[in-house]
């Protein structure tokens, strides 16, 4: 048999091109690949290996794994993180990028499981989006709102405070006594553990329309999980504390 590579033997190349349903094999391998991503504790690619053995009874183990590796590499490239530029700028500026206000509004509206959002400066311009988040919490969407200074934004956050509970939680940055100028300056929103907007824009008129602001919208469960994990760790460290009356 003595082969050293997947496509070096002409008879296997012919079999691949003519004797099997390529779509079925690829679909089976991709299905197993997705299962491995979700459940790394289960045996990997059992169904794919069984199907390949049936189709290629003379192929050795390395050949089978070469095929699986090839398909998985292509599958991974299709699931790479996707990023988009998001800007705030005057409406008269014709720039090829999505607008911050539109993106934030759309993220909140599409949320069906969770919303995590941080705010350094929050103005009444954000009231409509804040109301949308409160409404989401009433139908079972988990909302975690991190703010820099609750007292400073008491009027804007009054309704959020009244709806606090299982699905809506409000956290405040706990300044160290030694540095009263320190602040929660991060501006970001994570929705459904997948979509993350990290931006320089505040939750205010100038943040959404008046200033020049830039940010990146990332579609990645891994990056979203990292962001939310860091915020949870900061809560554990008492950097953020639940707002109480």
């Amino acid at each position: 048999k003595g082969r050293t590579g997947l496509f070096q033997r002409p008879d296997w190349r012919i079999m691949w091109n003519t004797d099997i349903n390529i779509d079925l094999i690829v679909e089976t391998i991709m299905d197993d690949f997705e299962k491995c991503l979700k459940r790394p504790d289960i045996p990997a690619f059992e169904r794919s290996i069984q199907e390949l053995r049936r189709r290629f009874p003379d192929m050795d183990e390395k050949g089978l794994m070469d095929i699986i590796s090839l398909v998985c590499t292509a599958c991974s490239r299709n699931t790479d993180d996707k990023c988009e530029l998001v800007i705030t700028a005057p409406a008269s500026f014709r720039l090829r990028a999505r607008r911050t206000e539109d993106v934030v509004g759309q993220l909140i509206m599409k949320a069906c499981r969770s919303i995590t959002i941080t705010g350094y400066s929050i103005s009444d311009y954000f009231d409509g989006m804040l109301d949308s988040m409160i409404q989401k919490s009433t139908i079972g969407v988990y909302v975690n709102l991190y703010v820099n200074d609750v007292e400073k934004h008491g009027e804007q956050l009054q309704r959020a405070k009244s709806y606090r509970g299982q699905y809506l939680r409000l956290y405040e940055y706990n300044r160290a006594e030694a540095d009263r100028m320190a602040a929660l300056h991060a501006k970001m929103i994570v929705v459904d553990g997948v979509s993350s907007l990290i931006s320089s824009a505040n939750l205010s008129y100038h943040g959404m329309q008046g200033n020049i602001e830039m940010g990146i919208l990332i579609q990645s469960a891994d990056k979203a999980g990292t962001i939310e994990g860091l915020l949870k760790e900061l809560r554990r460290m008492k950097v953020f504390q639940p707002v109480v009356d």
Side-chain angles (χ1 to χ4, degrees):
K1 303 290 182 180
R3 56 174 295 275
T4 57
L6 175 59
F7 295 117
Q8 291 184 6
R9 287 187 51 170
D11 55 335
W12 287 359
R13 187 164 57 244
I14 292 169
M15 287 176 63
W16 180 261
N17 288 334
T18 61
D19 291 346
I20 69 168
N21 184 330
I22 294 176
D23 288 342
L24 177 61
I25 289 287
V26 171
E27 185 176 331
T28 302
I29 296 172
M30 289 180 66
D31 187 48
D32 278 355
F33 176 73
E34 291 176 1
K35 287 178 182 177
C36 285
L37 292 177
K38 295 175 183 177
R39 291 285 309 279
D41 55 314
I42 63 175
F45 300 103
E46 284 190 332
R47 194 161 60 100
S48 298
I49 292 171
Q50 186 178 39
E51 182 67 15
L52 285 167
R53 280 179 179 152
R54 187 174 71 83
R55 299 282 183 169
F56 298 119
D58 295 328
M59 186 178 290
D60 61 21
E61 291 297 314
K62 186 178 184 303
L64 299 178
M65 296 313 297
D66 281 347
I67 293 177
I68 291 173
S69 178
L70 183 66
V71 175
C72 288
T73 299
C75 184
S76 296
R77 288 175 180 169
N78 288 333
T79 57
D80 282 346
D81 299 348
K82 296 178 176 62
C83 301
E84 293 180 80
L85 179 65
V86 178
I87 65 164
T88 297
S92 59
F93 291 16
R94 298 190 177 184
L95 302 174
R96 291 189 175 183
R98 295 177 66 184
R99 300 280 173 160
T100 305
E101 185 172 25
D102 295 338
V103 170
V104 174
Q106 288 164 11
L107 286 173
I108 292 171
M109 290 304 297
K110 80 170 189 178
C112 59
R113 292 190 291 110
S114 63
I115 302 171
T116 298
I117 188 166
T118 64
Y120 169 71
S121 177
I122 305 172
S123 75
D124 54 10
Y125 187 81
F126 189 67
D127 282 356
M129 293 184 187
L130 185 58
D131 285 344
S132 295
M133 290 195 297
I134 293 171
Q135 177 60 31
K136 288 282 185 176
S137 74
T138 66
I139 59 173
V141 175
Y142 289 96
V143 177
N144 289 307
L145 175 57
Y146 296 81
V147 297
N148 181 60
D149 188 336
V150 169
E151 186 175 344
K152 180 180 177 182
H153 301 103
E155 188 175 335
Q156 285 77 26
L157 297 175
Q158 191 57 46
R159 287 196 67 223
K161 289 171 70 175
S162 67
Y163 275 88
R164 280 173 301 162
Q166 179 183 359
Y167 292 103
L168 195 157
R169 294 176 181 174
L170 190 59
Y171 299 94
E172 184 176 23
Y173 178 61
N174 185 23
R175 286 186 188 82
E177 290 294 331
D179 188 0
R180 301 305 294 174
M181 295 299 292
L184 162 62
H185 209 248
K187 296 104 177 180
M188 58 194 178
I189 177 171
V190 179
V191 168
D192 291 343
V194 175
S195 303
S196 306
L197 173 64
I198 302 173
S199 174
S200 62
N202 285 312
L203 305 175
S204 62
Y205 169 77
H206 286 99
M208 297 291 161
Q209 287 201 16
N211 290 347
I212 301 295
E213 309 279 2
M214 288 192 183
I216 295 290
L217 177 62
I218 306 168
Q219 303 294 344
S220 166
D222 179 63
K223 300 299 186 294
T226 299
I227 293 170
E228 294 189 310
L230 286 171
L231 290 171
K232 288 178 183 177
E233 179 64 12
L234 290 171
R235 290 196 332 241
R236 188 190 67 78
M237 297 168 62
K238 309 297 183 185
V239 175
F240 294 111
Q241 294 188 323
V243 171
V244 296
D245 293 324

